[in-house]
Amino acid sequence: MSTPRLTNTYKLVDIPGLEEHEQACWQIQCLGKRDEHGNILSPVLNQLQEWQQTIPKEYEKLLRAIRYAGANHVHRNQDLIRADEDKRNVYEFKNTSCKCRLFFFYHHAENKVIICTNTYWKGKGAHTKDQDSAFATCAKVRDIYLKSETKP
């Protein structure tokens, strides 16, 4: 269900394990970037694929949060989706019993799309500032993406 090319630089790619019927309200995809040879590179997709293969039980917990978002117009479940406390309009998929996290922003262009930008492992000893840095990275990637999308 990959979205057509969005810009000359960026493309959205599917999330492993997420089915089309689980995205009734929001299409949820990872942001990829074209290299000079036209290949799509997506560090967030690579990390999700690694988690899916190496820690499938943890990854399935994360997918629960992602599926919830895809199926609901309004997200009110704080156990599965958390907003950035600094009000940068970026969010985190999480599960209270899961250590893998996925950061995203909402995009309302042609379709209602949730664009996933980066990951984070909330392990023992993880500091709040590290997680805040992940939120900041998501906001920065969103700004770069939106700026490039408006160019002719």
Side-chain angles (χ1 to χ4, degrees):
M1 178 173 84
S2 290
T3 300
R5 179 176 56 86
L6 297 175
T7 68
N8 289 332
T9 305
Y10 296 100
K11 180 171 173 61
L12 297 178
V13 294
D14 295 334
I15 291 180
L18 188 63
E19 301 295 327
E20 187 173 347
H21 71 276
E22 297 172 317
Q23 301 176 70
C25 295
W26 290 93
Q27 186 177 0
I28 306 172
Q29 298 200 297
C30 298
L31 188 60
K33 186 174 182 182
R34 293 184 186 279
D35 68 11
E36 63 275 4
H37 305 293
N39 300 317
I40 303 299
L41 307 174
S42 177
V44 69
L45 177 62
N46 294 344
Q47 183 64 66
L48 293 176
Q49 290 171 329
E50 181 181 321
W51 285 343
Q52 184 184 34
Q53 293 172 1
T54 60
I55 51 167
K57 288 182 181 179
E58 286 289 306
Y59 186 72
E60 192 57 40
K61 292 175 188 176
L62 180 64
L63 274 179
R64 179 174 175 252
I66 295 169
R67 287 178 179 127
Y68 170 81
N72 291 280
H73 289 285
V74 179
H75 306 132
R76 301 207 189 280
N77 190 330
Q78 294 297 312
D79 290 333
L80 300 177
I81 297 173
R82 185 175 83 150
D84 176 24
E85 292 176 1
D86 287 343
K87 310 280 189 247
R88 291 174 280 214
N89 291 320
V90 294
Y91 304 85
E92 162 189 44
F93 286 125
K94 66 185 203 118
N95 189 315
T96 54
S97 63
C98 178
K99 297 186 183 303
C100 45
R101 307 296 171 94
L102 179 60
F103 293 83
F104 67 93
F105 63 94
Y106 294 99
H107 187 48
H108 298 272
E110 294 175 24
N111 300 326
K112 289 171 52 175
V113 181
I114 290 175
I115 299 177
C116 303
T117 59
N118 56 307
T119 60
Y120 177 74
W121 183 262
K122 188 168 178 107
K124 191 173 186 178
H127 300 289
T128 303
K129 68 178 182 173
D130 295 333
Q131 195 164 7
D132 184 60
S133 178
F135 273 113
T137 297
C138 182
K140 185 176 182 178
V141 170
R142 179 206 57 217
D143 293 347
I144 291 168
Y145 169 78
L146 294 175
K147 188 179 214 180
S148 75
E149 189 182 56
T150 59
K151 288 182 180 177

